[in-house]
Amino acid sequence: MNILQYIVQISDLGFTNAPQPPWNQDTSYLARVLAVIDNAGWLKHCTYYKIDGRKPRPFVSLDDFIPCTQGWKSLLHLSNQMDMDESYHAEIYASFHPRWNALDFFIVFSPAFVDAGPDGFLARSKQFILDLYAEFAADGLLGREVNVQFVTTDHGHHPRVWPPRENVWFVYGNLLDVFSRRYYQQHPDDAEALLGYDEQRKIEDFFNAPVPPGVRSAWHNDDLRIIEWVDDLRDAQHILARCAMQEQWLIDVLHAPLDPLRGDLPEDASPYVTWYQTKLDLYGYKLIQVAADGSFDTAMVQQLLAWKQAGQLPDGRTLKKVCLVTENLAAAVCIYRQVIAMGIHEVYYLREPA
């Protein structure tokens, strides 16, 4: 997998007791966040930094970032080289929401930062989240979206469910998710939205939903549910399968509706594609058979890509992208990297037999 960056996301870090001084007026709050980041040890090799695109300077302390955060959004870029070499860097994005006095921040790491071993980045990310939770235990509240995710340089990210479901709340395909029970207890409107305004469902149904076999799920302090979807960042096939499981789980427990653009496509009458999206994107989707040994009709895939290159199907309909649909998740995982490298835009799989 061609991973471009890893991301630790903390969304809506807020307060349990209102009112509190705004984040961007009392910088002691952000100082506490930065201290937890510093204690995680991620930045020990960084020797230069720049803030919001300014000239790089020698990096001494994260305290240099604090005076620049009194606006609504700031970016800190750190590296081990003065030219801010993209091969080894970290970025901290901080944005302030004055309406509900909450802070969003993302810590973005290049792959060179990440130790892929079992006691490496994922374990440190989990511990960082728990340390941040402990720091703000008396006055803070972890937000509605806390996770570890990644971005690739490829077209896709992981095999997707067919027919596609709408992404109603959380990111699909995370490596690790953390859900706060206290957050939803104190934000009933968000709990209602999360459950799709279904009065028969309760927030505890979401928090108590079982995870697939092999996936680790644990409670912390009777508040945080921590779900570790991926065990080993060194195994690309494992990552693809587990990220697909995460999407499946969210779709099932949130009763995610069909994607309004692609969720209910009729079978195409032509022999060229199995489904054709007429709304907006003009994509073609082709059901493909994958043998037990992982082989498939590469000539058919190349023909599809040739039509995409030409910009149209043989019958003249516009074709902007080509996607494949396999009969099950195992088949999708098996061919995923090969067909994405060939130029396929996304790979989907059927939850039920064709």
Side-chain angles (χ1 to χ4, degrees):
M1 296 178 66
N2 299 313
I3 293 179
L4 177 64
Q5 53 193 211
Y6 294 90
I7 301 171
V8 178
Q9 175 182 354
I10 309 291
S11 178
D12 296 333
L13 179 63
F15 297 102
T16 54
N17 300 310
Q20 293 278 357
W23 279 92
N24 62 341
Q25 292 182 17
D26 187 341
T27 57
S28 66
Y29 302 141
L30 187 62
R32 291 162 63 187
V33 174
L34 295 177
V36 178
I37 295 174
D38 194 40
N39 290 337
W42 279 319
L43 309 180
K44 61 184 178 182
H45 298 299
C46 292
T47 51
Y48 292 92
Y49 80 99
K50 62 181 178 182
I51 297 175
D52 294 334
R54 302 172 193 174
K55 183 179 179 180
R57 297 180 178 181
F59 174 62
V60 178
S61 168
L62 284 173
D63 292 342
D64 293 329
F65 187 42
I66 293 175
C68 302
T69 59
Q70 293 186 277
W72 71 275
K73 188 175 184 179
S74 300
L75 165 63
L76 172 66
H77 189 123
L78 302 115
S79 177
N80 67 335
Q81 299 185 32
M82 188 171 183
D83 62 3
M84 311 305 285
D85 179 16
E86 291 299 313
S87 67
Y88 192 101
H89 73 277
E91 295 173 342
I92 301 174
Y93 296 83
S95 58
F96 167 64
H97 298 296
R99 182 179 177 183
W100 49 87
N101 194 19
L103 179 76
D104 283 356
F105 66 92
F106 300 79
I107 314 173
V108 181
F109 302 92
S110 67
F113 255 88
V114 175
D115 174 9
D119 297 321
F121 176 71
L122 289 174
R124 292 167 69 186
S125 298
K126 175 184 172 183
Q127 188 58 52
F128 163 74
I129 293 168
L130 292 177
D131 290 346
L132 187 70
Y133 178 79
E135 172 62 34
F136 285 90
D139 55 356
L141 193 66
L142 278 187
R144 70 177 182 89
E145 197 162 2
V146 178
N147 60 60
V148 181
Q149 55 184 276
F150 66 93
V151 177
T152 73
T153 58
D154 302 320
H155 312 295
H157 185 277
H158 64 277
R160 310 292 305 278
V161 171
W162 185 268
R165 299 320 198 266
E166 193 172 11
N167 189 343
V168 293
W169 201 255
F170 300 113
V171 174
Y172 288 151
N174 287 337
L175 303 169
L176 179 146
D177 283 310
V178 179
F179 305 108
S180 170
R181 174 188 271 155
R182 270 203 307 157
Y183 175 85
Y184 288 102
Q185 288 174 343
Q186 296 196 28
H187 293 80
D189 289 347
D190 279 354
E192 190 175 9
L194 174 69
L195 299 176
Y197 299 93
D198 183 346
E199 294 181 359
Q200 301 303 313
R201 301 177 66 211
K202 307 299 181 184
I203 193 64
E204 287 302 308
D205 296 337
F206 170 71
F207 277 97
N208 293 325
V211 296
V215 175
R216 289 182 291 181
S217 174
W219 284 93
H220 178 77
N221 204 29
D222 200 34
D223 176 16
L224 304 184
R225 189 181 186 189
I226 304 169
I227 305 179
E228 300 176 66
W229 297 102
V230 170
D231 300 320
D232 191 348
L233 291 179
R234 299 167 296 185
D235 186 343
Q237 300 292 90
H238 168 76
I239 294 172
L240 291 172
R242 289 299 185 85
C243 287
M245 284 185 186
Q246 187 263 11
E247 177 178 344
Q248 276 188 23
W249 185 80
L250 284 176
I251 287 171
D252 290 343
V253 300
L254 297 180
H255 299 184
L258 291 173
D259 186 305
L261 294 179
R262 300 168 296 161
D264 194 21
L265 298 180
E267 285 198 24
D268 196 75
S270 79
Y272 311 122
V273 292
T274 313
W275 297 276
Y276 179 75
Q277 183 183 353
T278 58
K279 301 175 183 177
L280 189 63
D281 291 331
L282 305 177
Y283 288 6
Y285 303 85
K286 184 70 172 179
L287 187 63
I288 187 171
Q289 304 292 324
V290 180
D293 64 359
S295 61
F296 58 94
D297 190 346
T298 56
M300 182 190 74
V301 175
Q302 290 167 346
Q303 180 64 78
L304 289 167
L305 292 170
W307 292 334
K308 192 249 321 188
Q309 183 67 28
Q312 63 179 29
L313 292 167
D315 57 15
R317 287 179 293 172
T318 300
L319 185 65
K320 292 184 177 180
K321 301 288 183 183
V322 175
C323 305
L324 298 178
V325 183
T326 68
E327 291 193 324
N328 53 57
L329 175 56
V333 170
C334 180
I335 69 170
Y336 185 89
R337 288 186 293 166
Q338 182 178 351
V339 298
I340 290 293
M342 292 172 70
I344 292 297
H345 184 66
E346 292 265 21
V347 179
Y348 295 84
Y349 63 96
L350 298 169
R351 292 289 298 273
E352 303 294 338

